[in-house]
Every structure is written in C-alpha cells, then in structure tokens.
Amino acid sequence: MSEKNREGRRTARQKLAAEREKQKSRDKRRRALIVGASVVGVLGLAAVIGVIAANAGKDDGSESSGPVVAPSGAQGKDSLAIPVGQESAKSTLVIWEDFRCPACKAFELAYRDTIHELTDAGQLKVEYHLATIIDGNMGGTGSRKAANAAACAQDAGKFPAYHDVLFTDQPAETDDAYADEDKLLDLAGKVDGLDTTAFQECVKNGTHNSWVEKSNEAFRSGGFSGTPTVLLDGKNVYQDRSMTPAKLKQLVEDANK
C-alpha cells in the first residue's frame, strides 16, 4: 500500500473519530437538557403544590363551613330571603344588599322611610337578600359578619331596626370595622330588646355564616351587576334613573288599587 493511501485512511479514521466525539458531546448535552427539564418540571410542580398549600391557609371564608342554619322566618328558595311586611301585599320588593356597600347605604337613606311606610300600610312586602361582595373585592370579613348579625337579629324579631342601624353606622368601605364582633354587639344596643345573651352568642358563634355564604353564592350566580339590586315585582327599578321614593310609592299604590 502506498504512503498516500495509508495517509488517506488515517485521515478518514481521524475524521470518523472526531465525528463520534461530536456525537457523544451532542448526546451528553441532550441528556443534560432532558434531566434539567425534568428537574424544572419537578420544581414547578412543587411550586404549584406550595402555592396550593399556601392558599389553603388564607381566609377563604373557612369560618363559613358548617351546617346551613337559616334565620327564623326566612323564605323563598333555600330560605335565603328575609321577609318584611305582610304576605298579602300585592307588590314585592326584592333587595340584594351588602352591609359594607356605600351605594346600598345611599339607597337605604333615600328610600327606607318610604319602604317602611308602604310595608306598615300592608301595601308592600320586602324580601331582603344579603351578599358579601365587598369582602371579596376589598378583603376582610365585615360583610359576612354583619350579615350574620343581621340574621341573628331576625331570629330575635328585630331585623328591620338592626338592618337600618347597620347602614346608618356603616364604616368607610375600606374600613373593615364590622369584622369586629364587639362593634356589631355595641350597635345592637341601639335596638330595644336586641342585646340579649342569645343574640350575643349567635353573633360570636357565627351561627348563620354558612347561610350567608349560600346567599352570596346565589347572588353571584344570579347574573346581577352589583349591590344594591332592587326589583319591584321583577323589574329592576334601581337601574331606572328616573326612580325616586315618590315614584316608587306611586307604583306600589297603583298596584294595590
């Protein structure tokens, strides 16, 4: 064999060896990437599990867990409506409210005297439904605890008066003052005969917390745009820009003729 042929074969072997080394390097990098991706995947899964575990410890209304105890006299589907007024009234006003909601307070201060007049006259029945959307939007538990306290007041036959006190004394929207049960108990002192041991225990034990949560779920699934939502015989009168207490009174009186 000539020297030239031997040199050619040696060069070919060297090229083949070099290519094999390159392939080994590529295979090594690929294995490293696969292992790295697997590690990242495991770490990612651990992070997700960590987030789930962390979130499990956050206030998600866990105090609402427990049996659903409707307040005395509650009516309607799932007993979620607190009725005020005579059953025989020809008009029904359905009101969805949140005790931390400033717009609800504005509605109450403007309309409640008229509503009381109509219910006292037997012309209007009101069904109050309680929501906790401010707790969800702003954080805190004041909406839920105030709603529970209002339900406790219903048990005592004092809902209308305590309902009005909660809106009259409503704190600023960003102030979760109603999360303090002592505040709710202090306000009960403004309603004759409400500040009893039974009422205090109902408030402190969160007797109606699960009922409040169920009511809020009904609000969320009801397709409503916000609180207050006010329906007169099924028609949303709160969205009527021309609505006034006088007009509401006239509509009710017309329905009772």
Side-chain angles (χ1 to χ4, degrees), residues 218-239:
F219 174 80
R220 291 201 307 265
S221 62
F224 305 117
S225 59
T227 54
T229 291
V230 186
L231 310 172
L232 177 62
D233 297 326
K235 180 181 179 181
N236 193 327
V237 294
Y238 186 72
Q239 292 181 342

Side-chain angles (χ1 to χ4, degrees), residues 233-250:
D233 297 326
K235 180 181 179 181
N236 193 327
V237 294
Y238 186 72
Q239 292 181 342
D240 182 351
R241 297 300 180 183
S242 68
M243 186 58 61
T244 63
K247 183 176 178 179
L248 176 65
K249 181 179 179 180
Q250 189 63 55

Side-chain angles (χ1 to χ4, degrees), residues 20-237:
R20 287 174 178 170
E21 287 299 320
K22 288 180 181 180
Q23 184 61 43
K24 287 181 181 179
S25 296
R26 286 195 292 268
D27 291 343
K28 185 176 181 180
R29 285 197 301 271
R30 186 168 61 251
R31 286 194 298 270
L33 287 172
I34 292 172
V35 172
S38 299
V39 172
V40 170
V42 171
L43 291 176
L45 178 59
V48 170
I49 293 172
V51 168
I52 293 173
N55 285 339
K58 293 180 181 178
D59 182 7
D60 55 358
S62 56
E63 291 181 37
S64 301
S65 60
V68 176
V69 180
S72 177
Q75 298 179 351
K77 183 180 179 181
D78 297 325
S79 298
L80 296 180
I82 295 178
V84 175
Q86 297 180 17
E87 191 68 34
S88 60
K90 293 184 178 180
S91 286
T92 300
L93 193 68
V94 175
I95 305 177
W96 290 86
E97 294 180 312
D98 182 327
F99 287 111
R100 288 181 68 187
C101 162
C104 297
K105 177 179 180 177
F107 168 79
E108 284 293 333
L109 293 182
Y111 283 84
R112 71 184 179 195
D113 288 346
T114 299
I115 291 172
H116 289 328
E117 179 185 348
L118 293 168
T119 55
D120 291 345
Q123 295 183 317
L124 180 68
K125 175 186 175 183
V126 184
E127 295 179 354
Y128 289 96
H129 295 258
L130 306 181
T132 62
I133 61 171
I134 305 300
D135 283 357
N137 293 341
M138 305 294 295
T141 58
S143 296
R144 170 163 53 84
K145 290 191 175 185
N148 172 69
C152 295
Q154 170 67 10
D155 289 339
K158 303 288 184 179
F159 174 82
Y162 189 62
H163 162 275
D164 289 354
V165 167
L166 288 173
F167 278 117
T168 298
D169 290 79
Q170 183 190 78
E173 184 179 17
T174 55
D175 180 3
D176 194 25
Y178 283 167
D180 182 356
E181 291 159 359
D182 289 335
K183 172 70 172 177
L184 297 169
L185 295 176
D186 286 344
L187 291 177
K190 296 187 176 185
V191 179
D192 290 342
L194 178 58
D195 191 15
T196 63
T197 300
F199 176 78
Q200 293 170 7
E201 290 179 351
C202 183
V203 172
K204 292 178 179 179
N205 293 335
T207 299
H208 300 294
N209 278 350
S210 292
W211 175 84
V212 172
E213 178 59 28
K214 193 174 185 67
S215 179
N216 189 59
E217 289 173 359
F219 174 80
R220 291 201 307 265
S221 62
F224 305 117
S225 59
T227 54
T229 291
V230 186
L231 310 172
L232 177 62
D233 297 326
K235 180 181 179 181
N236 193 327
V237 294

